[in-house]
Amino acid sequence: MAGIQLNTLRKIYAGNVEAVKGISIDIKDGEFIVLVGPSGCGKSTLLRMVAGLETITDGELFIGDRLVNNVEPADRDIAMVFQNYALYPHMTVYGNLAYGLKNRSIPKDEIEKRVRKAAEILEIGDFLDRRPRQLSGGQRQRVAMGRAIVREPAAFLFDEPLSNLDAKLRVQMRMEIKKLQKELGTTSLYVTHDQLEAMTLADRLVVLSGGVVEQIGSPIDVYEKPASTFVATFIGSPAMNLLPLAKSGNEWKLDNGATVDVKLNTDLSDLILGVRPEDLVIEELSEKFDSGLHTALTVHVVEPVGAESYVHGTIGEGSVDVVVRAPGKLHFEPGQILKVTAKPEKLHTFDTKSGKRIELEGALETA
Amino acid sequence: MKRSQFWDHVVLVLGALFMLVPVVYALMTSSHDAVSIYKDGLQLSPGGHFVDTYKQVLTEAGGFTKSVTGLTMLWNSLVLGLGFAFGKIIISMLAAYAIVYFRFPLGTFFFWIIFSTLLLPLEVRILPSYEIVQGLGMANTYSGLIIPLIASATGTFYFRQFFKSVPDELVEAARIDGAGPLKFFIDILVPLSKTMIAAIFIIMFVFGWNQYLWPTLITTDESLFTLVRGMKQILQVWIGAQIPDTNQAMALAVLAMLPPVLIVVIFQSWFVKGLVESEK
């Protein structure tokens, strides 16, 4: 077992396309790191660089304290779980699990022992004689994980392993992967584009965009203190509402003229205000509190999703779609005007140009 | 619906008869003796000399030098058919493996070069090929019979298409599992190509078995004659001063037909599988 260290890794493809632009991550031994980002952000490339399936253009990669830039995948002491499982179709489940061990000239009885153990952990003992074709998606997924486990590697690499499963199975396997990783204590690097998967699995999240790291932190940190507008909208569903904010005199105002109570020491004349849908409260339905924001919302659509409702609307002419996430089943007519409010500590501010977070004064303590 | 089915069947039955009647003629005629065929022409009913004729054809030395029996020719054909088929499979699999999985300079160019040889069948290059094989002293040898024919653009193309359809993740999983290029080929790719290999084997075996032009050129030694090439030669000599042994000629023809038919019948399901699906 070992940590993994990425030092300003870069990947430039033929044609001068820079897919990974100098990424550094220090992964501790036993940590579960999730790389998350939209498609094309470089997360899979990064994982494949760690696996050794893509060459590293520049930078250093350490697994344990060994520099592995030019080490073959098989000798990196890693195991990988692929999105489409990549099981050998002509081998039995047993053969699939044993193949990597055989190639390492591990004695037969040791292979047998390890395969049985992995099969027991994953509850696939009954299928050892079957071919992958005869298994369901979930079972294949387990076999793919088994193939990783028997190797007893320094690190597991997961490349969107759950995307081919149906929603229910995905949730179940998600929990199992997490449990398994905690039991085995193996350092894991997991790639997904599903932010919910990322939130639930990760010890630390790495949010990637356009080949650079937007933010690294625990899921809750990332959720509560997104480092940029990109992270703010990518993590959390529905996405955070982003509204332009302009300075007029000593006050900050929204487009519709509503005053927002943000304490900021800045020379900037405009900002982006971020507020999560669940932090926006419909005034009529809540108790009074010290508010940082009051505005009127013209309802467009209400989406009931069972336990809660998403109220979509606008705040004045030309406003972007604003979403309020309110508990319970609500009924509003389109065109109805509601008063919404939010606590001052629930407000986020970002630089208009760079999209980077600007910390509110006093917000550090309240978060 | 019924009506069109009826006509479908008529067409099929006619087609089948068209194919089969000559075969039945050959088979039936071969069971008569030479004299009665000479008198009465080709036969459609079984005669009483089936065993005699075939025994004679298989074991009695014929030809100009009296050094070749039907059995020898059968053996030669088998060597050619098998050598041809296995040779082609091995060569084209390796070529396709190189083209698909290894990035080497001008790889695509070489593929198209190989592919363009489809435009140059044996008949076109027969003289230079003969010169070379003759010059290498390979005339009248099994290797001379087989090796010049085993490069196969068709086979390379089929295997290339098949290898391209194997998911990349499988290669990557094998790499992580510590399988080098040779191990990956033998442990993963060859077993995956099983049905494909079977299909190509059938095509190539039949193709090799039926070779006529090349064996005619390259073998002058009668002991190396294949059935297809030897049949006529043997018969001409037999004709000589006596009644033509049409029964024996027919028997040789039936024997020449038999192995390809057996191979196709036995491997039929594999053949279809190889062409339409892949085990992935």
Side-chain angles (χ1 to χ4, degrees), chain A residues 34-72:
Chain A
V34 176
L35 302 174
V36 63
S39 42
C41 72
K43 56 190 192 298
S44 277
T45 309
L46 191 63
L47 186 81
R48 291 163 56 81
M49 284 160 81
V50 175
L53 299 171
E54 297 276 359
T55 53
I56 296 169
T57 312
D58 196 22
E60 289 170 319
L61 173 67
F62 291 92
I63 295 177
D65 36 24
R66 192 161 63 112
L67 181 70
V68 294
N69 279 36
N70 296 313
V71 176
E72 270 293 301

Coordinates of all heavy atoms in Angstrom, one line a residue, chain A residues 34-72:
Chain A
V34 N -11.7 11.2 -5.6 CA -12.5 11.1 -6.8 C -12.2 12.3 -7.7 O -12.2 13.4 -7.3 CB -14.0 11.1 -6.4 CG1 -14.9 11.2 -7.6 CG2 -14.4 9.9 -5.5
L35 N -11.9 11.9 -8.9 CA -11.7 13.0 -10.0 C -13.1 13.2 -10.6 O -13.6 12.2 -11.2 CB -10.7 12.5 -11.0 CG -9.3 12.2 -10.5 CD1 -8.5 11.6 -11.7 CD2 -8.6 13.4 -9.9
V36 N -13.6 14.4 -10.6 CA -14.9 14.7 -11.2 C -14.8 15.9 -12.1 O -14.0 16.8 -11.8 CB -15.9 14.8 -10.1 CG1 -15.6 16.0 -9.2 CG2 -17.3 14.9 -10.6
G37 N -15.6 15.8 -13.1 CA -15.6 17.0 -14.0 C -16.4 16.6 -15.3 O -16.8 15.4 -15.4
P38 N -16.7 17.6 -16.1 CA -17.5 17.3 -17.3 C -16.7 16.5 -18.3 O -15.5 16.4 -18.1 CB -17.9 18.6 -17.8 CG -16.8 19.5 -17.3 CD -16.3 19.0 -16.0
S39 N -17.3 16.0 -19.3 CA -16.5 15.2 -20.3 C -15.6 16.1 -21.0 O -15.9 17.3 -21.3 CB -17.4 14.5 -21.3 OG -18.5 15.3 -21.7
G40 N -14.4 15.6 -21.2 CA -13.4 16.4 -21.9 C -12.5 17.2 -20.9 O -11.7 18.0 -21.4
C41 N -12.7 17.0 -19.6 CA -12.0 17.8 -18.7 C -10.6 17.3 -18.4 O -9.8 17.9 -17.7 CB -12.7 18.0 -17.4 SG -12.8 16.5 -16.4
G42 N -10.3 16.1 -18.9 CA -9.0 15.5 -18.7 C -8.9 14.5 -17.6 O -7.9 13.9 -17.3
K43 N -10.1 14.2 -16.9 CA -10.0 13.3 -15.8 C -9.6 11.9 -16.1 O -8.8 11.2 -15.5 CB -11.4 13.3 -15.0 CG -12.6 12.9 -15.9 CD -13.9 13.2 -15.1 CE -15.1 12.6 -15.8 NZ -15.4 13.1 -17.1
S44 N -10.2 11.4 -17.3 CA -9.8 10.0 -17.7 C -8.4 9.9 -18.1 O -7.7 9.0 -17.8 CB -10.8 9.5 -18.8 OG -12.0 9.1 -18.3
T45 N -8.0 11.0 -18.9 CA -6.6 11.0 -19.3 C -5.6 11.0 -18.1 O -4.7 10.2 -18.1 CB -6.3 12.3 -20.1 OG1 -7.3 12.4 -21.1 CG2 -5.0 12.3 -20.7
L46 N -6.0 11.7 -17.1 CA -5.2 11.8 -15.9 C -5.1 10.4 -15.2 O -4.0 9.9 -14.9 CB -5.7 12.8 -14.9 CG -4.8 13.1 -13.7 CD1 -3.6 13.8 -14.2 CD2 -5.6 14.1 -12.7
L47 N -6.2 9.7 -15.1 CA -6.3 8.4 -14.5 C -5.4 7.4 -15.3 O -4.7 6.6 -14.8 CB -7.7 7.9 -14.4 CG -7.9 6.6 -13.7 CD1 -7.9 6.8 -12.2 CD2 -9.1 5.9 -14.1
R48 N -5.6 7.5 -16.7 CA -4.8 6.6 -17.5 C -3.3 6.9 -17.5 O -2.5 6.0 -17.7 CB -5.4 6.7 -19.0 CG -6.8 6.1 -19.1 CD -7.5 6.6 -20.3 NE -6.7 6.2 -21.5 CZ -6.7 5.0 -22.0 NH1 -7.4 4.1 -21.5 NH2 -5.9 4.8 -23.1
M49 N -3.0 8.1 -17.2 CA -1.6 8.4 -17.0 C -1.0 7.8 -15.8 O 0.1 7.2 -15.7 CB -1.3 9.9 -16.9 CG -1.4 10.6 -18.3 SD -1.8 12.4 -18.1 CE -0.1 13.0 -17.8
V50 N -1.8 7.8 -14.7 CA -1.4 7.1 -13.5 C -1.3 5.6 -13.7 O -0.4 4.9 -13.2 CB -2.4 7.4 -12.3 CG1 -2.1 6.6 -11.1 CG2 -2.5 8.9 -12.0
A51 N -2.2 5.1 -14.5 CA -2.2 3.6 -14.8 C -1.1 3.2 -15.7 O -0.6 2.1 -15.7 CB -3.6 3.2 -15.5
G52 N -0.6 4.2 -16.5 CA 0.5 3.9 -17.4 C 0.0 3.6 -18.8 O 0.7 3.1 -19.7
L53 N -1.3 3.8 -19.0 CA -1.9 3.6 -20.4 C -1.7 4.8 -21.3 O -1.8 4.6 -22.5 CB -3.3 3.2 -20.2 CG -3.6 2.0 -19.4 CD1 -5.1 1.8 -19.2 CD2 -3.1 0.7 -20.1
E54 N -1.4 5.9 -20.7 CA -1.0 7.1 -21.5 C 0.4 7.5 -21.0 O 0.7 7.5 -19.9 CB -2.0 8.3 -21.2 CG -3.4 8.0 -21.6 CD -3.7 8.2 -23.1 OE1 -2.8 8.6 -23.8 OE2 -4.9 8.0 -23.5
T55 N 1.2 7.9 -22.0 CA 2.5 8.4 -21.6 C 2.4 9.8 -20.9 O 1.4 10.5 -21.2 CB 3.4 8.6 -22.8 OG1 2.8 9.4 -23.8 CG2 3.8 7.2 -23.4
I56 N 3.3 10.1 -20.1 CA 3.3 11.4 -19.4 C 4.2 12.3 -20.2 O 5.4 12.0 -20.4 CB 3.8 11.2 -17.9 CG1 2.8 10.3 -17.2 CG2 4.0 12.5 -17.3 CD1 3.4 9.8 -15.8
T57 N 3.7 13.4 -20.6 CA 4.5 14.4 -21.4 C 5.5 15.1 -20.5 O 6.6 15.3 -20.9 CB 3.5 15.4 -22.1 OG1 2.5 14.7 -22.7 CG2 4.3 16.2 -23.1
D58 N 5.0 15.5 -19.3 CA 5.9 16.2 -18.5 C 5.4 16.1 -17.0 O 4.2 15.8 -16.8 CB 5.8 17.7 -18.9 CG 7.0 18.5 -18.3 OD1 8.0 17.8 -17.9 OD2 6.8 19.7 -18.2
G59 N 6.3 16.2 -16.1 CA 5.9 16.1 -14.7 C 6.4 14.8 -14.1 O 6.9 13.9 -14.8
E60 N 6.1 14.6 -12.8 CA 6.5 13.3 -12.2 C 5.4 12.6 -11.5 O 4.5 13.3 -11.0 CB 7.6 13.7 -11.1 CG 8.9 14.1 -11.7 CD 9.8 14.7 -10.5 OE1 9.2 15.4 -9.7 OE2 11.0 14.4 -10.5
L61 N 5.4 11.3 -11.6 CA 4.4 10.5 -10.9 C 5.1 9.5 -10.0 O 5.9 8.7 -10.4 CB 3.6 9.8 -12.0 CG 2.6 8.8 -11.5 CD1 1.4 9.5 -10.7 CD2 2.0 7.9 -12.6
F62 N 4.7 9.6 -8.7 CA 5.3 8.7 -7.8 C 4.2 7.8 -7.3 O 3.1 8.2 -6.9 CB 5.9 9.4 -6.6 CG 7.1 10.2 -6.9 CD1 7.1 11.5 -7.3 CD2 8.4 9.5 -6.8 CE1 8.2 12.2 -7.6 CE2 9.5 10.2 -7.1 CZ 9.5 11.6 -7.5
I63 N 4.4 6.5 -7.2 CA 3.5 5.6 -6.5 C 4.4 5.0 -5.4 O 5.4 4.4 -5.7 CB 3.0 4.5 -7.4 CG1 2.1 5.1 -8.5 CG2 2.2 3.4 -6.6 CD1 1.5 4.1 -9.5
G64 N 3.9 5.2 -4.1 CA 4.8 5.0 -3.0 C 5.9 6.0 -3.1 O 5.6 7.2 -3.4
D65 N 7.2 5.6 -3.0 CA 8.2 6.6 -3.2 C 9.0 6.2 -4.5 O 10.2 6.5 -4.6 CB 9.1 6.7 -2.0 CG 9.3 5.4 -1.3 OD1 9.2 4.4 -2.0 OD2 9.6 5.4 -0.1
R66 N 8.4 5.5 -5.4 CA 9.0 5.1 -6.7 C 8.5 6.0 -7.8 O 7.3 6.2 -8.0 CB 8.6 3.6 -6.9 CG 9.4 2.9 -8.0 CD 9.3 1.4 -7.8 NE 7.8 1.1 -8.0 CZ 7.4 0.3 -9.0 NH1 8.2 -0.1 -9.9 NH2 6.1 0.0 -9.1
L67 N 9.5 6.5 -8.5 CA 9.1 7.3 -9.7 C 8.7 6.3 -10.8 O 9.5 5.5 -11.2 CB 10.3 8.2 -10.2 CG 10.1 9.0 -11.4 CD1 9.1 10.2 -11.1 CD2 11.4 9.6 -12.0
V68 N 7.5 6.4 -11.3 CA 7.0 5.4 -12.2 C 6.7 6.0 -13.6 O 6.0 5.3 -14.4 CB 5.7 4.7 -11.7 CG1 6.1 3.9 -10.4 CG2 4.6 5.7 -11.4
N69 N 7.2 7.2 -13.9 CA 6.9 7.7 -15.3 C 7.0 6.8 -16.4 O 6.2 6.7 -17.3 CB 7.8 8.9 -15.5 CG 7.3 10.2 -14.8 OD1 6.8 10.1 -13.7 ND2 7.5 11.3 -15.4
N70 N 8.1 6.0 -16.4 CA 8.4 5.1 -17.5 C 8.3 3.6 -17.2 O 8.9 2.8 -17.8 CB 9.8 5.4 -18.0 CG 9.9 6.8 -18.6 OD1 9.0 7.3 -19.3 ND2 10.9 7.6 -18.2
V71 N 7.5 3.3 -16.1 CA 7.3 2.0 -15.7 C 6.0 1.4 -16.5 O 5.0 2.1 -16.6 CB 7.1 1.9 -14.2 CG1 6.8 0.4 -13.8 CG2 8.4 2.4 -13.5
E72 N 6.1 0.2 -16.9 CA 5.0 -0.5 -17.6 C 3.8 -0.6 -16.6 O 4.0 -0.7 -15.4 CB 5.4 -1.9 -18.0 CG 6.0 -2.0 -19.4 CD 4.9 -1.7 -20.5 OE1 3.9 -2.4 -20.5 OE2 5.2 -0.7 -21.2

